[in-house]
């Protein structure tokens, strides 16, 4: 398969995982702000868990698809893209929390 097609599919998956991490950040914002992360209700825990686990699974899939194209042929690019996906995930969670906090405070 052409490497650019494989990289394109991996980019779509990475974008989806970033969106799921952003959603995780949105749902995490209120319990975080109220300081009750250790006393979440069952519904809150389920919503947080689903968005986090789904984001991790999709990111894992994106990395494996990307490995098909680049791990053996261009290992430095593969390592760089792995780090970039990790940074994007952290920034997406932070962005979701910031967006939710801005909505609450007005």
């Amino acid at each position: 398969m052409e490497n650019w097609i494989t990289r394109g599919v991996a980019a779509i998956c990475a974008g989806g995982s970033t969106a799921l991490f952003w959603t995780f950040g949105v749902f995490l914002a209120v319990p975080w702000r109220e300081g009750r992360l250790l006393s979440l209700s069952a519904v809150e825990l389920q919503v947080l868990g689903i968005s986090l686990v789904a984001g991790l699974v999709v990111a894992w899939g994106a990395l494996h698809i990307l490995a098909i194209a680049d791990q053996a042929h261009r290992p430095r690019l593969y390592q760089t893209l792995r780090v970039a996906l990790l940074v994007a995930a952290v920034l997406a969670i932070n962005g979701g929390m910031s967006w939710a906090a801005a909505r609450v405070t007005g």
Side-chain angles (χ1 to χ4, degrees), residues 27-103:
F27 291 132
L28 182 67
V30 172
W32 180 281
R33 189 184 71 237
E34 294 175 357
R36 56 181 184 85
L37 284 177
L38 298 177
S39 62
L40 295 172
S41 70
V43 173
E44 290 172 327
L45 192 59
Q46 184 178 10
V47 168
L48 287 171
I50 288 171
S51 60
L52 179 61
V53 169
L56 290 171
V57 168
V58 174
W60 178 76
L63 288 176
H64 281 283
I65 292 170
L66 189 61
I68 293 170
D70 289 328
Q71 187 174 16
H73 305 294
R74 302 169 90 182
R76 302 256 313 160
L77 177 63
Y78 177 67
Q79 293 289 24
T80 302
L81 292 174
R82 284 174 51 181
V83 170
L85 183 57
L86 177 64
V87 169
V90 170
L91 290 175
I93 293 170
N94 188 21
M97 290 179 69
S98 299
W99 182 83
R103 289 288 201 198

